[in-house]
Amino acid sequence: MPPSTAAVTYLLLLLISCSVTSSISSSAAANIAPGADADADAVVNAVVNANANNANIIFRQPVLSIVGEHVGDLTVTSTDEPADVVYAFGQRHSLDEAQRSGLLESLCSNTGIACSRRDAIIFETNVTTVVDDTRSSKRFVVMEGQEPADAAHAFVATNNLTIGYRNAILSEACQFVACTRTEPVIFRQTIKLDGAFEGTEMEIAVLEGQEPADIIYDSLKPYDVSFTERQRVMQAAKEEGVAHTREHALVFSEEVQIGDNTIPFYLYDDGAEPIDSLYAFTLEHGTENDFDQFYTSGVVPRLCESNRCRRMQPIIWKSRPITSPSGNKILGSFAILRNEEPVDAIDHFAQVHGLDAEYRDRIVEVVCDERPCSRTVPIVWRKTINDEKGRVLGSFDVLEKEEVADAVYRFLDELSFPLDRSRLKAYFFENACVHPRVKCTRLVANVYDDDVTLRGMNIGRLTIRENQEPADAIYEWSMANDQLKEDLDGAVSTLIDEICNEKRVKCQRRAPFIKSIPLSGPDGNRVGVFRLMLGQEPIDALYGFFSRHGLFAKGWDIKIVLSQLCAIDGVECTRTEAVKFQSDNFTMGGQSIGPLKIGEKEEVIDVLYRKRLDFNLTIEDQMESFAMICKEADIYCARTRAAVYSMYNISVLDYARFGNETCQRKYAGVQFLSKFADSAIGSTVASFLKKNDQVASMVEHPLFGVILLFFALLFVKLSLLLIERKRRLSAGVYPVAYLYTFILVCVFVTKVIEPVDDIDLAVHLQEGLLPALHVLEGEEAADAVLKWGKEAAREHHPIVRQPIHWEILDKICVESQHVPCTRRRAWEPVDMGAITLYGNHHGIEYWNPAVDPDFDTTSLCEPVYDGEADACLQRGAIDLCRRLHPQPAGCVRDITMHMANQLNDYDKGRFDSKDAYRKIGLVIDAPDKELFPAMSKVVLSKNVNLAPFSRVDNGTATYDSWDSMLLEAWAAVDAFAKVKDPESREWNDKPCTPLFGGALCAKHDKDGNLMIEA
């Protein structure tokens, strides 16, 4: 192993301490360290023996390692050069350069041996040259640490030989010594660095065949050496005659696209800014518009990644030298960058040289005559806004004499990124207001601040703050302006249209609020503030207010509130019916359907349904328009399905089977006469009689006409007696007066009290009036009639399964072609909640076909979604999803699974229900013959045989062993007991009256007694 550095240190100390003898015996020279390489020792001995004949050994000393091992004997003769001997010794014993250097230094400094050089000759040879037929021999040597290629280059240059000699010499030398390259260094210079690398020396070496400018640039680039210093080194290389093809280094090259051409771009280290060179190249081969693509295509980022770019925009214009205001001093010139406003460059120049604003503005005026200027006011504070990834979102600029509040409003108004605007605004105020040239006198921006001219006349100055609605600010300003009072409404509308078209002015509406009235409910709780806009009909504004605050759903009467509003001074009401939606040219399904107007009493979905049929559009087109209209908070949409068929003024008396049920009452009051009640006087009389039952009963009494005639005749008698006191009346006056009185009373009683045609119809409707019947889109007639029958039975029971039930069902199926009538039996309604889109509730109602014994659920409701749902549920989901706009992703599957889960929960609670029909799997319109089979089917499905279906213990005992199956079977038996015969079924079907908030249910028996049901 080669000796370590520590071993060499020990070795050097040993040499210093030992005495040096002038001669060494030949026997001592024979001491060779044991274990030394035999071939190496043979070579040394050969050298020593060869020199022993001509020279004496002047130094010989064994060399030991730090652990005391013998490394070898170092022997120097009088003719040896110590450097060569040490180099040879180190090669034999594998010493590195540092060890050899230390050994030589110790030998030359401490032993008195003369050392003419410190570098050993590692290769030497005689070179025979022929010049002008003259042969000569010259000695070529390679010193330690010298590259053979450099030694050969220096040898041929000194001896004026050709490159062929150099190649031959180098070829021979590289066979004996290590050669790291074959190209010699043709230029070498050491420079001292400054700046961050001050005190460091840097050597620049240029090999033969290399471009000097490139090597100089690449060597000095990491150390931020200036362009001037690089040029000085290049000049030194030129003075030494170094071959070169150019004076500037090639620092970047890339093929770029300009128009339809691909052109190579080369950037040289010529002192120019890289972006300026690229810009000049673009103008040479294309236009200025071609330059923008270099930013997006990545050319500029790649250019500045490999080269130091002090700016990212090129200089497009440079001024002439600018003198001081006095003219006795040249201040310099300024440059305008691309996309830079000239005034900003001029302002920066003025700030650097201390020029006042007046002189700066004069320069701006001159420059803007030559260059296009979009503004003449400079930016005094700028902040670039970046996102979390460092991408530039925008630049916040504050102009000279501009309020920071106005600048912040302008910046945030143009910002399209979702940022925390409050924090950003606070940051701008905190940082910008400390700048001496920034103006900060208010915190609220002016979105409009200018003199107003109307009809060629200056009206005054109008200022609108950012926290004001422009329409309201204009209205308040106009109200206070005496010049606008003659045509206030017209002036306000004109000003709003003009000012709202300004870029900075953001108008949420084009009409001001002229009235703001707080409204409270009957309980005194405040609902909100009703606002009426200029030119708006009060009923339309009130309708929007009701819709926004959900007052229609709460049952508020809009007419009562309207009458109170119309009584307020300044509120003019021209109509009492609101227009909830209006369009001059409405588009539905991509097709223009002309003007569309929807009144207050119309449902949006009903109007759109009729339009859909008229123009042959799809359900998707209808629901898209519905979503567009009803998503507005000002429009109340009570239903999401259209009523395709409706029946009004349905009287139970129309379907009675015996007698003339249209004359149930002998006398009718004026409160039932529709024509009279609609008149001005009749409405007052009718409302009074409807509220006062005693007066109404008296008017309807059989003797009312007789009593009325008696008092009328008495009144006429007294009147004639009073007249006769003043003058005598003829004998015929009395009979005539009595006759006329009798005729008038009879006409009145006949027209108002007795049952004429109008009164007869009014009585007919009033006595047997049932709720209106609506069949909605996609709803089976049987299902709609059953749902209506349950509601109608609350006032007139029974309805379901009665002739009125089946006759109305037949009437619907005959008269309407849009109502599906595929069955006469209703299915079981299951409420499964609703899905809400844009505030509209789309009910999820499922009609369960399992209650219909004629429906084949096995084949028509096959399993879907791996058996988790069935096809009947899926069809219901498909129908609902077609009505949703926009349709949610995965709508059909999600709704189907929801309905399956809801139906499963509904079935689980079937035997806990109070509905007897639900327990046995039927609905209320089921015929009597199906009741027992249905109950039997349920009982048998629970694996229970309860014949003859009666409890032995009368239901009073409890059994711990009873399981849920048995309990559910008994529940079905109990349910059947409630409907097993017509009398008990009628009592079961009779609607109950909730008592104590719904805690109890009460029904009236045949005698009118109120019976409480469990």
Side-chain angles (χ1 to χ4, degrees):
M1 292 178 62
S4 62
T5 304
V8 174
T9 304
Y10 174 81
L11 179 148
L12 298 179
L13 294 175
L14 181 61
L15 288 175
I16 295 172
S17 61
C18 295
S19 59
V20 181
T21 58
S22 60
S23 64
I24 302 176
S25 65
S26 59
S27 61
N31 286 331
I32 298 177
D37 186 84
D39 294 336
D41 289 342
V43 174
V44 174
N45 290 335
V47 174
V48 171
N49 292 334
N51 290 336
N53 297 325
N54 301 314
N56 298 323
I57 294 175
I58 61 175
F59 178 83
R60 189 173 192 177
Q61 184 66 40
V63 178
L64 303 177
S65 68
I66 191 169
V67 295
E69 294 181 354
H70 184 238
V71 176
D73 287 343
L74 180 63
T75 304
V76 182
T77 67
S78 59
T79 59
D80 287 338
E81 179 62 39
D84 297 338
V85 175
V86 172
Y87 180 81
F89 181 84
Q91 289 295 104
R92 289 197 306 273
H93 300 288
S94 302
L95 302 182
D96 59 24
E97 183 179 355
Q99 294 169 338
R100 294 197 308 270
S101 178
L103 188 59
L104 178 62
E105 178 65 27
S106 182
L107 183 63
C108 295
S109 301
N110 301 318
T111 62
I113 298 176
C115 299
S116 62
R117 50 185 167 80
R118 295 299 178 95
D119 294 325
I121 295 174
I122 60 174
F123 176 78
E124 65 178 343
T125 186
N126 290 325
V127 180
T128 302
T129 62
V130 179
V131 179
D132 297 332
D133 297 331
T134 303
R135 296 175 65 86
S136 61
S137 179
K138 300 183 182 296
R139 182 169 175 262
F140 169 72
V141 298
V142 179
M143 308 300 294
E144 182 184 9
Q146 186 180 26
E147 185 66 36
D150 297 337
H153 176 73
F155 178 80
V156 297
T158 302
N159 295 283
N160 197 24
L161 301 178
T162 64
I163 193 171
Y165 279 96
R166 189 187 74 185
N167 292 339
I169 295 169
L170 184 59
S171 177
E172 182 182 357
C174 290
Q175 296 178 14
F176 299 95
V177 295
C179 297
T180 60
R181 51 184 166 83
T182 59
E183 298 83 9
V185 174
I186 59 175
F187 174 75
R188 191 187 302 273
Q189 187 175 85
T190 302
I191 65 172
K192 292 183 177 181
L193 303 177
D194 54 8
F197 304 95
E198 186 173 1
T200 304
E201 291 187 350
M202 174 66 189
E203 183 182 71
I204 302 174
V206 181
L207 303 181
E208 186 180 50
Q210 290 181 326
E211 189 64 48
D214 295 342
I215 300 303
I216 294 171
Y217 178 83
D218 292 339
S219 300
L220 299 179
K221 178 182 177 181
Y223 304 100
D224 201 22
V225 176
S226 65
F227 170 74
T228 303
E229 182 63 19
R230 295 197 299 271
Q231 287 300 103
R232 187 193 64 78
V233 177
M234 183 62 193
Q235 184 62 32
K238 290 167 55 180
E239 292 175 356
E240 291 188 15
V242 176
H244 62 279
T245 60
R246 43 187 165 82
E247 295 188 5
H248 302 292
L250 177 64
V251 296
F252 182 81
S253 64
E254 184 175 320
E255 290 190 347
V256 297
Q257 189 78 22
I258 297 181
D260 298 330
N261 302 320
T262 301
I263 307 172
F265 166 66
Y266 301 105
L267 177 67
Y268 295 96
D269 181 32
D270 55 2
E273 184 67 25
I275 202 73
D276 293 337
S277 300
L278 181 61
Y279 182 72
F281 175 82
T282 306
L283 295 183
E284 180 182 354
H285 297 279
T287 64
E288 184 175 1
N289 294 332
D290 296 322
F291 187 74
D292 290 328
Q293 65 173 334
F294 294 144
Y295 291 95
T296 57
S297 64
V299 175
V300 171
R302 289 191 294 272
L303 174 66
C304 293
E305 181 180 0
S306 58
N307 300 275
R308 182 181 178 184
C309 296
R310 290 174 293 180
R311 47 185 164 82
M312 298 298 289
Q313 291 291 346
I315 293 175
I316 60 173
W317 190 82
K318 197 168 185 179
S319 72
R320 298 182 294 273
I322 305 297
T323 62
S324 62
S326 60
N328 57 4
K329 181 181 179 182
I330 296 179
L331 303 177
S333 60
F334 62 88
I336 300 176
L337 303 181
R338 188 170 182 266
N339 297 329
E340 182 185 29
E341 274 297 324
V343 66
D344 294 333
I346 297 170
D347 181 70
H348 177 72
F349 179 83
Q351 293 298 314
V352 171
H353 295 89
L355 303 179
D356 58 23
E358 182 181 358
Y359 190 65
R360 180 202 64 193
D361 293 342
R362 287 165 51 193
I363 299 175
V364 171
E365 184 178 354
V366 173
V367 172
C368 290
D369 289 338
E370 301 181 19
R371 299 284 309 170
C373 300
S374 61
R375 54 181 167 84
T376 57
V377 180
I379 293 173
V380 297
W381 195 79
R382 168 172 286 172
K383 180 65 178 178
T384 302
I385 307 300
N386 302 324
D387 63 7
E388 64 276 2
K389 295 182 179 179
R391 294 174 297 190
V392 176
L393 301 180
S395 177
F396 172 67
D397 303 327
V398 181
L399 302 177
E400 187 178 46
K401 296 182 181 179
E402 182 185 27
E403 285 283 346
V404 172
D406 297 339
V408 169
Y409 178 85
R410 171 168 48 82
F411 174 79
L412 295 179
D413 180 56
E414 298 171 353
L415 192 65
S416 60
F417 298 92
L419 298 177
D420 190 338
R421 294 174 176 257
S422 298
R423 292 182 59 187
L424 198 59
K425 184 175 182 179
Y427 172 83
F428 288 149
F429 273 101
E430 181 180 353
N431 291 271
C433 290
V434 299
H435 195 279
R437 298 184 66 192
V438 172
K439 184 179 181 182
C440 277
T441 61
R442 50 184 165 84
L443 298 178
V444 180
N446 291 340
V447 298
Y448 185 86
D449 188 14
D450 202 354
D451 292 329
V452 176
T453 301
L454 191 64
R455 303 184 188 94
M457 180 173 58
N458 189 350
I459 307 301
R461 192 169 190 85
L462 171 61
T463 300
I464 302 176
R465 307 287 191 189
E466 66 174 313
N467 54 3
Q468 292 179 301
E469 177 61 38
D472 297 337
I474 293 171
Y475 180 75
E476 294 173 3
W477 180 81
S478 301
M479 288 283 290
N481 197 311
D482 295 337
Q483 303 180 64
L484 302 177
K485 289 187 176 180
E486 293 184 1
D487 185 19
L488 179 64
D489 293 357
V492 169
S493 299
T494 301
L495 291 177
I496 289 176
D497 290 339
E498 291 180 359
I499 294 175
C500 287
N501 289 329
E502 296 287 335
K503 182 179 179 181
R504 292 190 59 182
V505 180
K506 306 298 179 183
C507 297
Q508 302 296 326
R509 42 188 166 81
R510 292 298 182 101
F513 288 134
I514 59 174
K515 290 289 183 182
S516 294
I517 305 170
L519 294 183
S520 301
D523 54 0
N525 293 327
R526 180 175 176 178
V527 176
V529 179
F530 167 75
R531 292 184 173 91
L532 179 64
M533 290 190 294
L534 181 67
Q536 187 181 26
E537 187 64 36
I539 182 60
D540 294 338
L542 186 60
Y543 178 86
F545 179 85
F546 266 55
S547 178
R548 286 193 304 274
H549 294 87
L551 302 183
F552 288 116
K554 294 179 180 179
W556 281 38
D557 190 343
I558 192 173
K559 302 304 180 184
I560 295 177
V561 181
L562 178 65
S563 62
Q564 298 173 357
L565 288 176
C566 295
I568 298 176
D569 185 29
V571 177
E572 298 181 3
C573 301
T574 60
R575 51 184 167 86
T576 59
E577 297 293 332
V579 176
K580 64 168 70 175
F581 179 81
Q582 185 171 7
S583 174
D584 295 334
N585 187 15
F586 189 73
T587 301
M588 186 173 174
Q591 181 178 348
S592 175
I593 62 174
L596 180 65
K597 183 177 181 180
I598 304 177
E600 170 191 342
K601 295 182 178 180
E602 294 179 296
E603 274 297 327
V604 173
I605 192 66
D606 294 343
V607 177
L608 295 179
Y609 174 78
R610 293 193 294 270
K611 294 294 183 182
R612 167 191 155 197
L613 297 181
D614 293 342
F615 290 89
N616 195 26
L617 299 174
T618 65
I619 182 67
E620 287 80 7
D621 298 333
Q622 170 186 315
M623 298 312 297
E624 181 181 2
S625 298
F626 174 81
M628 184 269 293
I629 295 174
C630 291
K631 71 180 181 180
E632 301 296 333
D634 289 348
I635 299 178
Y636 175 66
C637 298
R639 287 189 275 108
T640 58
R641 289 181 181 265
V644 299
Y645 183 88
S646 298
M647 289 181 64
Y648 301 96
N649 294 329
I650 306 173
S651 175
V652 71
L653 302 180
D654 287 338
Y655 300 91
R657 290 307 185 199
F658 304 101
N660 182 13
E661 283 76 13
T662 58
C663 294
Q664 292 284 317
R665 301 175 55 132
K666 185 176 180 180
Y667 294 96
V670 291
Q671 68 265 36
F672 301 116
L673 183 57
S674 58
K675 292 182 180 179
F676 179 74
D678 289 339
S679 64
I681 299 176
S683 61
T684 304
V685 175
S687 60
F688 171 73
L689 293 178
K690 287 179 181 180
K691 293 178 182 179
N692 197 321
D693 294 337
Q694 294 181 353
V695 176
S697 299
M698 181 181 68
V699 172
E700 296 168 2
H701 196 275
L703 296 179
F704 177 76
V706 177
I707 297 173
L708 180 63
L709 178 61
F710 171 77
F711 281 102
L713 292 174
L714 180 62
F715 174 78
V716 171
K717 174 68 176 179
L718 293 176
S719 298
L720 292 176
L721 291 176
L722 291 175
I723 295 174
E724 197 171 11
R725 284 187 176 185
K726 296 182 178 180
R727 63 185 181 87
R728 185 176 180 82
L729 297 176
S730 62
V733 173
Y734 285 87
V736 172
Y738 294 152
L739 179 62
Y740 274 108
T741 302
F742 178 79
I743 294 174
L744 289 175
V745 171
C746 290
V747 170
F748 175 77
V749 172
T750 302
K751 287 294 184 182
V752 179
I753 306 302
E754 293 297 329
V756 294
D757 292 343
D758 289 338
I759 296 179
D760 185 66
L761 178 61
V763 171
H764 178 77
L765 292 177
Q766 181 67 24
E767 290 297 316
L769 185 64
L770 299 176
L773 168 61
H774 300 288
V775 184
L776 305 182
E777 286 179 278
E779 196 172 33
E780 275 281 344
D783 298 334
V785 172
L786 178 65
K787 183 168 61 175
W788 167 83
K790 289 182 178 180
E791 181 182 358
R794 296 183 182 278
E795 294 296 332
H796 298 278
H797 176 74
I799 295 292
V800 180
R801 302 188 311 276
Q802 300 301 310
I804 185 174
H805 178 181
W806 307 115
E807 290 182 24
I808 288 180
L809 178 60
D810 292 337
K811 177 180 175 64
I812 295 174
C813 293
V814 170
E815 294 182 355
S816 176
Q817 58 180 346
H818 300 296
V819 178
C821 291
T822 62
R823 49 187 166 85
R824 291 183 62 81
R825 288 284 301 277
W827 289 351
E828 183 179 32
V830 182
D831 185 3
M832 297 184 173
I835 182 171
T836 302
L837 281 178
Y838 295 112
N840 298 303
H841 302 284
H842 298 262
I844 307 176
E845 190 173 32
Y846 177 65
W847 295 89
N848 185 12
V851 300
D852 188 350
D854 298 328
F855 185 81
D856 186 4
T857 57
T858 304
S859 60
L860 298 177
C861 297
E862 65 274 6
V864 295
Y865 300 129
D866 298 327
E868 296 183 18
D870 60 54
C872 293
L873 293 170
Q874 187 182 46
R875 285 192 291 271
I878 293 173
D879 175 67
L880 175 62
C881 290
R882 291 187 65 195
R883 308 187 65 83
L884 302 180
H885 183 84
Q887 186 177 121
C891 178
V892 173
R893 180 181 178 87
D894 292 344
I895 296 297
T896 302
M897 298 309 298
H898 168 78
M899 294 174 67
N901 293 331
Q902 290 291 311
L903 183 59
N904 185 49
D905 293 341
Y906 181 83
D907 286 337
K908 288 181 180 179
R910 185 175 295 275
F911 296 99
D912 295 329
S913 171
K914 293 184 178 181
D915 186 351
Y917 297 104
R918 179 179 173 186
K919 291 180 179 180
I920 60 177
L922 294 175
V923 290
I924 192 173
D925 68 342
D928 294 337
K929 64 180 181 179
E930 293 182 5
L931 299 178
F932 183 84
M935 181 273 297
S936 178
K937 180 180 178 181
V938 173
V939 171
L940 294 176
S941 69
K942 304 301 178 181
N943 298 323
V944 177
N945 185 3
L946 295 180
F949 304 108
S950 61
R951 284 197 179 101
V952 177
D953 58 6
N954 198 26
T956 58
T958 60
Y959 299 90
D960 297 336
S961 61
W962 283 14
D963 58 8
S964 60
M965 300 281 281
L966 191 60
L967 292 176
E968 291 173 356
W970 276 119
V973 173
D974 291 341
F976 171 72
K978 294 181 179 180
V979 295
K980 63 182 179 180
D981 56 69
E983 184 177 354
S984 59
R985 189 175 185 185
E986 182 180 351
W987 176 260
N988 177 80
D989 295 349
K990 180 178 292 187
C992 68
T993 302
L995 297 179
F996 306 108
L1000 295 176
C1001 174
K1003 297 180 181 181
H1004 291 276
D1005 61 10
K1006 293 182 294 184
D1007 300 328
N1009 299 317
L1010 191 64
M1011 307 295 291
I1012 304 297
E1013 282 232 330

